[in-house]
Structure formats: structure tokens, C-alpha cells
Coordinates of all heavy atoms in Angstrom, one line a residue:
M1 N -45.5 -13.0 6.9 CA -44.4 -13.2 6.0 C -44.0 -11.8 5.4 O -44.9 -11.0 5.0 CB -44.8 -14.2 4.9 CG -43.7 -14.5 4.0 SD -44.2 -15.9 2.9 CE -42.9 -15.8 1.8
A2 N -42.7 -11.5 5.3 CA -42.3 -10.3 4.8 C -42.4 -10.3 3.3 O -42.2 -11.3 2.6 CB -40.9 -10.0 5.3
T3 N -42.6 -9.1 2.7 CA -42.6 -9.0 1.3 C -41.3 -8.3 0.8 O -40.7 -7.5 1.5 CB -43.8 -8.1 0.8 OG1 -43.7 -6.8 1.5 CG2 -45.1 -8.7 1.2
M4 N -40.8 -8.8 -0.3 CA -39.6 -8.2 -0.9 C -39.9 -7.0 -1.7 O -40.8 -7.0 -2.5 CB -38.9 -9.3 -1.8 CG -38.6 -10.6 -1.1 SD -37.3 -10.4 0.2 CE -35.9 -10.0 -0.8
T5 N -39.2 -5.9 -1.4 CA -39.4 -4.6 -2.1 C -38.0 -4.2 -2.6 O -37.0 -4.5 -2.0 CB -40.0 -3.6 -1.1 OG1 -39.1 -3.4 0.0 CG2 -41.4 -3.9 -0.6
N6 N -38.1 -3.5 -3.7 CA -36.9 -2.9 -4.3 C -36.8 -1.5 -3.8 O -37.6 -0.6 -4.2 CB -36.9 -3.0 -5.8 CG -35.7 -2.6 -6.4 OD1 -34.7 -2.2 -5.8 ND2 -35.6 -2.8 -7.8
P7 N -35.7 -1.2 -3.0 CA -35.6 0.2 -2.5 C -35.3 1.3 -3.5 O -35.5 2.4 -3.3 CB -34.5 0.1 -1.4 CG -33.7 -1.1 -1.8 CD -34.7 -2.0 -2.4
I8 N -34.8 0.8 -4.7 CA -34.5 1.8 -5.7 C -35.8 2.3 -6.3 O -35.9 3.5 -6.7 CB -33.6 1.1 -6.8 CG1 -32.2 0.7 -6.2 CG2 -33.4 2.0 -8.0 CD1 -31.4 -0.1 -7.1
E9 N -36.8 1.5 -6.4 CA -38.0 1.9 -7.0 C -38.9 2.6 -6.1 O -40.0 3.2 -6.5 CB -38.8 0.7 -7.6 CG -38.0 0.0 -8.7 CD -38.6 -1.3 -9.1 OE1 -39.6 -1.7 -8.6 OE2 -38.1 -1.9 -10.1
M10 N -38.7 2.6 -4.8 CA -39.5 3.2 -3.8 C -38.8 4.5 -3.2 O -37.8 4.3 -2.5 CB -39.9 2.3 -2.7 CG -40.7 1.0 -3.2 SD -41.1 -0.1 -1.9 CE -42.4 0.9 -1.2
P11 N -39.2 5.7 -3.5 CA -38.5 6.9 -3.1 C -38.5 7.0 -1.5 O -37.6 7.6 -1.0 CB -39.2 8.0 -3.7 CG -40.5 7.5 -4.3 CD -40.3 6.0 -4.4
E12 N -39.5 6.5 -0.9 CA -39.5 6.7 0.6 C -38.5 5.8 1.3 O -38.2 5.9 2.5 CB -41.0 6.4 1.2 CG -41.5 5.0 1.0 CD -42.2 4.8 -0.3 OE1 -42.3 5.7 -1.1 OE2 -42.7 3.7 -0.5
L13 N -37.9 4.8 0.6 CA -37.0 3.9 1.2 C -35.6 4.1 0.7 O -34.7 3.3 0.8 CB -37.4 2.4 0.9 CG -38.6 1.9 1.5 CD1 -38.9 0.5 1.1 CD2 -38.5 2.0 3.0
T14 N -35.3 5.3 0.1 CA -33.9 5.6 -0.4 C -32.9 5.7 0.6 O -31.7 5.5 0.4 CB -34.0 6.9 -1.3 OG1 -34.4 7.9 -0.4 CG2 -34.8 6.7 -2.5
N15 N -33.2 6.0 1.9 CA -32.2 6.1 2.9 C -32.2 4.9 3.9 O -31.7 5.0 5.0 CB -32.5 7.4 3.8 CG -32.2 8.7 3.0 OD1 -31.4 8.6 2.1 ND2 -32.9 9.7 3.3
H16 N -32.8 3.8 3.4 CA -32.8 2.6 4.2 C -31.9 1.5 3.5 O -31.6 1.6 2.3 CB -34.2 2.0 4.3 CG -35.1 2.9 5.1 ND1 -35.7 4.0 4.6 CD2 -35.5 2.8 6.4 CE1 -36.4 4.6 5.5 NE2 -36.3 3.9 6.6
F17 N -31.5 0.6 4.4 CA -30.6 -0.5 3.9 C -31.4 -1.8 3.9 O -32.2 -2.0 4.7 CB -29.4 -0.6 4.8 CG -28.4 0.5 4.7 CD1 -28.5 1.4 5.8 CD2 -27.6 0.7 3.7 CE1 -27.6 2.6 5.8 CE2 -26.7 1.8 3.7 CZ -26.8 2.7 4.7
V18 N -31.1 -2.6 2.9 CA -31.8 -3.9 2.8 C -30.8 -4.9 3.3 O -29.6 -5.0 2.8 CB -32.2 -4.2 1.3 CG1 -32.7 -5.6 1.2 CG2 -33.1 -3.2 0.8
V19 N -31.2 -5.7 4.3 CA -30.3 -6.7 4.9 C -30.6 -8.0 4.2 O -31.8 -8.5 4.2 CB -30.5 -6.8 6.4 CG1 -29.6 -7.9 7.0 CG2 -30.2 -5.5 7.0
I20 N -29.6 -8.7 3.7 CA -29.7 -10.0 3.0 C -28.9 -11.0 3.9 O -27.7 -10.8 4.1 CB -29.2 -10.0 1.6 CG1 -30.1 -9.0 0.8 CG2 -29.3 -11.3 1.0 CD1 -29.6 -8.8 -0.6
H21 N -29.5 -12.0 4.3 CA -28.8 -13.1 5.0 C -27.7 -13.8 4.1 O -28.0 -14.0 2.9 CB -29.7 -14.1 5.5 CG -29.2 -15.0 6.6 ND1 -28.4 -16.1 6.2 CD2 -29.1 -15.0 7.9 CE1 -28.0 -16.8 7.3 NE2 -28.4 -16.1 8.4
P22 N -26.5 -14.1 4.6 CA -25.5 -14.6 3.8 C -25.9 -16.0 3.1 O -25.4 -16.3 2.0 CB -24.3 -14.9 4.7 CG -24.5 -13.9 5.8 CD -26.0 -13.7 5.9
L23 N -26.7 -16.7 3.7 CA -27.2 -18.0 3.1 C -28.2 -17.7 1.9 O -28.3 -18.6 1.1 CB -27.9 -18.9 4.1 CG -26.9 -19.4 5.2 CD1 -27.7 -20.3 6.2 CD2 -25.8 -20.3 4.6
D24 N -28.8 -16.6 1.9 CA -29.8 -16.3 0.9 C -29.1 -15.4 -0.3 O -29.7 -15.2 -1.3 CB -31.0 -15.4 1.4 CG -31.8 -16.3 2.4 OD1 -31.8 -17.5 2.3 OD2 -32.3 -15.6 3.3
D25 N -27.9 -15.0 0.0 CA -27.2 -14.1 -1.0 C -26.5 -15.0 -2.1 O -26.3 -16.2 -2.0 CB -26.1 -13.3 -0.3 CG -25.6 -12.1 -1.1 OD1 -26.3 -11.8 -2.1 OD2 -24.7 -11.5 -0.6
V26 N -26.2 -14.3 -3.2 CA -25.6 -15.0 -4.3 C -24.1 -15.3 -3.9 O -23.4 -14.4 -3.4 CB -25.6 -14.1 -5.6 CG1 -24.9 -14.8 -6.8 CG2 -27.0 -13.7 -5.9
P27 N -23.6 -16.5 -4.2 CA -22.2 -16.7 -3.8 C -21.2 -15.9 -4.6 O -21.5 -15.6 -5.7 CB -22.0 -18.2 -4.2 CG -23.3 -18.8 -4.4 CD -24.3 -17.6 -4.7
E28 N -20.2 -15.3 -3.9 CA -19.3 -14.5 -4.5 C -18.2 -15.3 -5.3 O -17.9 -16.5 -5.0 CB -18.6 -13.6 -3.5 CG -17.7 -14.4 -2.5 CD -17.1 -13.4 -1.5 OE1 -17.6 -12.4 -1.2 OE2 -16.0 -13.8 -1.0
V29 N -17.7 -14.7 -6.3 CA -16.7 -15.3 -7.2 C -15.3 -15.2 -6.4 O -14.9 -14.2 -6.0 CB -16.6 -14.6 -8.5 CG1 -15.5 -15.3 -9.4 CG2 -17.9 -14.6 -9.2
K30 N -14.7 -16.4 -6.3 CA -13.4 -16.4 -5.6 C -12.3 -16.1 -6.5 O -12.4 -16.2 -7.8 CB -13.2 -17.8 -5.0 CG -14.2 -18.3 -4.1 CD -14.3 -17.4 -2.9 CE -15.4 -18.0 -1.9 NZ -15.7 -17.0 -0.9
V31 N -11.2 -15.6 -6.0 CA -10.1 -15.2 -6.8 C -9.3 -16.4 -7.2 O -9.1 -17.3 -6.4 CB -9.1 -14.3 -5.9 CG1 -7.9 -13.9 -6.7 CG2 -9.9 -13.0 -5.5
D32 N -9.0 -16.4 -8.5 CA -8.2 -17.6 -9.0 C -6.7 -17.3 -8.9 O -6.2 -16.4 -9.6 CB -8.6 -17.8 -10.5 CG -7.9 -19.0 -11.1 OD1 -7.5 -19.9 -10.3 OD2 -7.7 -19.0 -12.3
T33 N -6.1 -18.0 -7.9 CA -4.7 -17.7 -7.7 C -3.7 -18.5 -8.5 O -2.5 -18.4 -8.4 CB -4.4 -17.9 -6.2 OG1 -4.7 -19.3 -5.8 CG2 -5.1 -17.0 -5.3
E34 N -4.2 -19.5 -9.3 CA -3.4 -20.3 -10.1 C -2.6 -19.5 -11.2 O -1.6 -19.9 -11.6 CB -4.2 -21.5 -10.7 CG -4.7 -22.4 -9.7 CD -5.4 -23.6 -10.3 OE1 -5.5 -23.7 -11.5 OE2 -6.0 -24.4 -9.5
N35 N -3.3 -18.5 -11.7 CA -2.7 -17.7 -12.9 C -1.9 -16.5 -12.4 O -1.3 -15.8 -13.2 CB -3.8 -17.2 -13.8 CG -4.6 -18.4 -14.4 OD1 -4.0 -19.5 -14.6 ND2 -5.9 -18.2 -14.6
L36 N -1.7 -16.4 -11.1 CA -0.9 -15.3 -10.6 C 0.6 -15.7 -10.5 O 0.9 -16.8 -10.2 CB -1.3 -14.9 -9.2 CG -2.8 -14.3 -9.0 CD1 -3.1 -14.1 -7.6 CD2 -2.9 -13.1 -9.9
G37 N 1.4 -14.7 -10.8 CA 2.9 -15.0 -10.7 C 3.4 -14.7 -9.3 O 2.6 -14.3 -8.4
P38 N 4.7 -14.8 -9.1 CA 5.2 -14.5 -7.8 C 5.1 -13.0 -7.5 O 5.2 -12.2 -8.4 CB 6.7 -14.9 -7.9 CG 7.0 -15.0 -9.4 CD 5.7 -15.3 -10.0
M39 N 4.9 -12.6 -6.3 CA 4.8 -11.2 -5.9 C 6.1 -10.6 -5.9 O 7.2 -11.2 -5.5 CB 4.2 -11.1 -4.5 CG 2.7 -11.5 -4.5 SD 2.0 -11.3 -2.8 CE 2.3 -9.6 -2.6
A40 N 6.2 -9.4 -6.4 CA 7.4 -8.6 -6.3 C 7.6 -8.0 -4.9 O 6.7 -7.5 -4.3 CB 7.4 -7.4 -7.3
M41 N 8.9 -8.2 -4.3 CA 9.1 -7.7 -3.0 C 10.1 -6.6 -3.0 O 11.1 -6.7 -3.8 CB 9.7 -8.9 -2.1 CG 8.7 -9.9 -1.8 SD 9.3 -11.0 -0.5 CE 10.5 -11.9 -1.3
T42 N 9.9 -5.6 -2.2 CA 10.9 -4.5 -2.1 C 12.0 -5.0 -1.2 O 11.9 -6.0 -0.6 CB 10.3 -3.3 -1.6 OG1 9.8 -3.5 -0.2 CG2 9.1 -2.8 -2.4
A43 N 13.1 -4.3 -1.2 CA 14.3 -4.6 -0.4 C 13.9 -4.6 1.1 O 14.4 -5.5 1.8 CB 15.4 -3.7 -0.7
S44 N 13.1 -3.7 1.5 CA 12.7 -3.6 3.0 C 11.9 -4.8 3.3 O 12.0 -5.4 4.4 CB 12.1 -2.3 3.3 OG 10.8 -2.2 2.5
V45 N 11.0 -5.3 2.5 CA 10.2 -6.4 2.7 C 11.1 -7.7 2.8 O 10.9 -8.5 3.7 CB 9.1 -6.6 1.7 CG1 8.4 -7.9 1.8 CG2 8.1 -5.4 1.8
R46 N 12.0 -7.8 1.9 CA 12.9 -9.0 1.8 C 13.7 -9.0 3.1 O 13.9 -10.1 3.7 CB 13.7 -8.9 0.6 CG 14.6 -10.2 0.4 CD 15.4 -10.1 -0.9 NE 14.6 -9.8 -2.1 CZ 13.8 -10.7 -2.8 NH1 13.9 -12.0 -2.4 NH2 13.2 -10.3 -3.8
I47 N 14.3 -7.9 3.5 CA 15.1 -7.8 4.7 C 14.2 -8.1 6.0 O 14.7 -8.9 6.9 CB 15.8 -6.4 4.9 CG1 16.8 -6.3 3.8 CG2 16.4 -6.2 6.3 CD1 17.4 -4.9 3.7
S48 N 13.0 -7.6 6.0 CA 12.1 -7.9 7.2 C 11.8 -9.4 7.3 O 11.8 -10.0 8.3 CB 10.8 -7.1 7.0 OG 11.1 -5.7 7.1
L49 N 11.5 -10.0 6.1 CA 11.1 -11.5 6.1 C 12.4 -12.3 6.5 O 12.3 -13.3 7.2 CB 10.6 -11.9 4.8 CG 9.2 -11.4 4.5 CD1 8.8 -11.7 3.1 CD2 8.2 -11.9 5.5
L50 N 13.6 -11.9 6.0 CA 14.8 -12.7 6.3 C 15.1 -12.5 7.8 O 15.5 -13.5 8.5 CB 15.9 -12.2 5.5 CG 15.9 -12.7 4.1 CD1 17.0 -12.1 3.2 CD2 15.9 -14.2 3.9
S51 N 14.9 -11.3 8.4 CA 15.2 -11.1 9.8 C 14.2 -11.9 10.7 O 14.5 -12.4 11.7 CB 15.2 -9.6 10.2 OG 14.0 -9.1 9.9
L52 N 12.9 -11.9 10.2 CA 11.9 -12.7 10.9 C 12.3 -14.2 10.9 O 12.2 -14.9 11.9 CB 10.5 -12.5 10.3 CG 9.4 -13.3 10.9 CD1 9.2 -12.9 12.4 CD2 8.1 -13.1 10.1
R53 N 12.7 -14.7 9.8 CA 13.1 -16.1 9.7 C 14.3 -16.4 10.6 O 14.4 -17.4 11.3 CB 13.5 -16.4 8.2 CG 13.9 -17.9 8.0 CD 14.3 -18.2 6.6 NE 13.2 -18.0 5.8 CZ 13.3 -18.0 4.4 NH1 14.4 -18.2 3.8 NH2 12.2 -17.8 3.7
A54 N 15.3 -15.5 10.6 CA 16.5 -15.7 11.5 C 16.0 -15.6 12.9 O 16.5 -16.4 13.8 CB 17.5 -14.6 11.2
Y55 N 15.1 -14.7 13.3 CA 14.6 -14.7 14.7 C 13.9 -16.0 15.1 O 14.2 -16.5 16.2 CB 13.7 -13.5 14.8 CG 13.0 -13.4 16.2 CD1 13.6 -13.0 17.3 CD2 11.6 -13.8 16.3 CE1 13.0 -12.9 18.5 CE2 10.9 -13.7 17.5 CZ 11.7 -13.3 18.6 OH 11.0 -13.3 19.8
L56 N 13.1 -16.5 14.2 CA 12.4 -17.8 14.5 C 13.3 -18.9 14.6 O 13.2 -19.8 15.5 CB 11.3 -18.0 13.5 CG 10.1 -17.0 13.5 CD1 9.2 -17.3 12.3 CD2 9.4 -17.1 14.7
V57 N 14.3 -19.0 13.8 CA 15.3 -20.1 13.9 C 16.1 -19.9 15.2 O 16.3 -21.0 15.9 CB 16.3 -20.0 12.7 CG1 17.5 -20.9 12.9 CG2 15.5 -20.5 11.4
L58 N 16.5 -18.7 15.6 CA 17.1 -18.5 16.8 C 16.3 -18.9 18.1 O 16.8 -19.6 19.0 CB 17.6 -17.1 17.0 CG 18.2 -16.7 18.3 CD1 19.6 -17.4 18.4 CD2 18.4 -15.2 18.4
M59 N 15.0 -18.6 18.0 CA 14.1 -19.0 19.1 C 13.9 -20.5 19.2 O 13.9 -21.1 20.3 CB 12.7 -18.3 18.9 CG 12.8 -16.8 19.2 SD 13.3 -16.4 20.9 CE 14.8 -15.6 20.5
M60 N 13.9 -21.1 18.0 CA 13.8 -22.6 18.0 C 15.1 -23.3 18.6 O 15.0 -24.2 19.4 CB 13.5 -23.1 16.6 CG 12.1 -22.9 16.1 SD 11.6 -23.7 14.6 CE 12.7 -22.9 13.4
L61 N 16.2 -22.7 18.2 CA 17.5 -23.2 18.8 C 17.5 -23.0 20.3 O 18.0 -23.9 21.0 CB 18.6 -22.5 18.1 CG 18.9 -22.9 16.7 CD1 20.0 -22.1 16.1 CD2 19.2 -24.4 16.6
L62 N 17.1 -21.9 20.8 CA 17.0 -21.6 22.3 C 16.1 -22.6 23.0 O 16.4 -23.1 24.1 CB 16.7 -20.2 22.5 CG 17.7 -19.1 22.2 CD1 17.2 -17.7 22.4 CD2 18.9 -19.3 23.1
V63 N 14.9 -22.9 22.4 CA 14.0 -23.8 23.0 C 14.6 -25.2 23.0 O 14.6 -26.0 24.0 CB 12.7 -23.8 22.2 CG1 11.8 -25.0 22.6 CG2 11.9 -22.5 22.5
F64 N 15.3 -25.6 21.9 CA 16.0 -26.9 21.8 C 17.1 -27.0 22.8 O 17.2 -28.0 23.5 CB 16.5 -27.1 20.4 CG 17.1 -28.4 20.1 CD1 16.3 -29.6 20.1 CD2 18.4 -28.6 19.9 CE1 16.8 -30.8 19.9 CE2 19.0 -29.8 19.6 CZ 18.2 -31.0 19.6
Y65 N 17.9 -26.0 23.0 CA 18.9 -26.0 24.0 C 18.3 -26.1 25.4 O 18.8 -26.8 26.3 CB 19.7 -24.7 23.9 CG 20.7 -24.5 25.1 CD1 21.9 -25.2 25.1 CD2 20.4 -23.6 26.1 CE1 22.8 -25.1 26.1 CE2 21.3 -23.5 27.2 CZ 22.5 -24.2 27.2 OH 23.3 -24.1 28.2
H66 N 17.2 -25.4 25.7 CA 16.6 -25.5 27.0 C 16.1 -26.9 27.3 O 16.2 -27.4 28.4 CB 15.4 -24.4 27.1 CG 14.8 -24.3 28.4 ND1 15.5 -23.9 29.5 CD2 13.6 -24.6 28.8 CE1 14.7 -23.9 30.6 NE2 13.5 -24.4 30.1
V67 N 15.5 -27.5 26.3 CA 15.0 -28.9 26.5 C 16.1 -29.8 26.7 O 16.0 -30.7 27.6 CB 14.2 -29.3 25.2 CG1 13.9 -30.8 25.3 CG2 12.9 -28.5 25.1
L68 N 17.2 -29.7 26.0 CA 18.4 -30.5 26.3 C 19.0 -30.2 27.6 O 19.5 -31.1 28.3 CB 19.4 -30.3 25.2 CG 19.1 -30.8 23.8 CD1 20.2 -30.5 22.8 CD2 18.7 -32.3 23.8
D69 N 19.0 -29.0 28.1 CA 19.4 -28.6 29.4 C 18.6 -29.2 30.5 O 19.1 -29.7 31.5 CB 19.5 -27.1 29.6 CG 20.2 -26.7 30.8 OD1 21.2 -27.3 31.2 OD2 19.8 -25.6 31.4
L70 N 17.3 -29.2 30.3 CA 16.4 -29.8 31.2 C 16.6 -31.3 31.3 O 16.3 -32.0 32.3 CB 14.9 -29.5 30.9 CG 14.5 -28.0 31.2 CD1 13.1 -27.8 30.7 CD2 14.6 -27.7 32.6
A71 N 17.0 -31.9 30.2 CA 17.2 -33.4 30.1 C 18.5 -33.8 30.8 O 18.7 -34.9 31.0 CB 17.2 -33.9 28.7
G72 N 19.3 -32.8 31.1 CA 20.6 -33.0 31.8 C 21.7 -33.4 31.0 O 22.7 -34.1 31.5
L73 N 21.7 -33.1 29.7 CA 22.8 -33.4 28.8 C 24.0 -32.5 28.9 O 25.0 -32.9 28.4 CB 22.3 -33.4 27.3 CG 21.2 -34.5 27.0 CD1 20.8 -34.3 25.6 CD2 21.8 -35.9 27.2
F74 N 23.9 -31.4 29.6 CA 25.0 -30.5 29.8 C 25.6 -30.5 31.1 O 26.4 -29.7 31.5 CB 24.6 -29.1 29.4 CG 24.1 -29.0 28.0 CD1 22.8 -28.6 27.7 CD2 24.9 -29.3 26.9 CE1 22.3 -28.5 26.4 CE2 24.5 -29.2 25.6 CZ 23.2 -28.8 25.3
G75 N 25.3 -31.6 31.9 CA 25.9 -31.6 33.3 C 25.1 -30.9 34.3 O 24.1 -30.2 34.0
H76 N 25.5 -31.0 35.5 CA 24.8 -30.4 36.6 C 25.3 -28.9 36.8 O 26.5 -28.7 36.9 CB 25.0 -31.2 37.9 CG 24.3 -30.6 39.1 ND1 22.9 -30.6 39.2 CD2 24.7 -30.0 40.2 CE1 22.5 -30.1 40.3 NE2 23.6 -29.7 40.9
H77 N 24.4 -28.0 36.9 CA 24.7 -26.6 37.1 C 24.7 -26.3 38.6 O 23.8 -26.7 39.3 CB 23.7 -25.6 36.4 CG 23.8 -25.8 34.9 ND1 24.9 -25.3 34.1 CD2 22.9 -26.3 34.0 CE1 24.6 -25.6 32.9 NE2 23.5 -26.2 32.8
A78 N 25.6 -25.4 39.1 CA 25.6 -25.1 40.5 C 24.7 -24.0 40.9 O 24.2 -23.3 40.2 CB 27.1 -24.7 40.9

């Protein structure tokens, strides 16, 4: 069985790391997001997010059109 040693109190272990298994470690405190306000966005971030939204809507419309085309709703193509 391994013995627990404190590397701070032992000068010969000052350059060694102590490995602690996550199940044996103290649980970390989670961030409380309920008290946070909305994030401030710069103009470039706002434009990037709006362009991403427009791109995704366009791609969904193209997929919807392709599904309707495969269903034969637009007539027979030559």
C-alpha cells in the first residue's frame, strides 16, 4: 500500500509531481451562470453570427428544395 507524502515538506521531492485520481480529488466549484448578464458582442461578432445564421437557413432551404425535387413535385427534368 502506498503512503501519502507531502512533497512540500520533503526537499528531495520538490521536482516531482503528485498524481491524484479524479475520483479521489475534491470536487471543483462550478460556475454559477444564473447571475450573469448577457454578453456584450462586438460588431464583427454580430455580423459573423448573422452571416452564419443566414448560411444555415440557406443550406436548409437547399436541402428542402432537393427533397421536394426528389419527390417529383417540380416535374420531370430532361
Side-chain angles (χ1 to χ4, degrees):
M1 183 170 170
T3 58
M4 299 296 290
T5 58
N6 188 354
I8 296 173
E9 296 173 357
M10 301 181 72
E12 64 272 2
L13 294 177
T14 55
N15 292 333
H16 291 81
F17 295 101
V18 177
V19 178
I20 299 174
H21 193 275
L23 293 177
D24 297 331
D25 199 7
V26 179
E28 64 182 28
V29 178
K30 302 298 180 190
V31 176
D32 183 23
T33 58
E34 292 182 5
N35 298 329
L36 297 176
M39 292 179 60
M41 290 191 291
T42 62
S44 63
V45 170
R46 188 176 309 275
I47 290 170
S48 297
L49 289 175
L50 288 175
S51 63
L52 177 63
R53 182 181 296 173
Y55 173 77
L56 292 174
V57 168
L58 177 66
M59 289 299 114
M60 286 189 295
L61 289 174
L62 287 173
V63 167
F64 186 65
Y65 172 77
H66 184 64
V67 168
L68 292 178
D69 188 35
L70 289 175
L73 293 176
F74 298 119
H76 183 69
H77 297 287

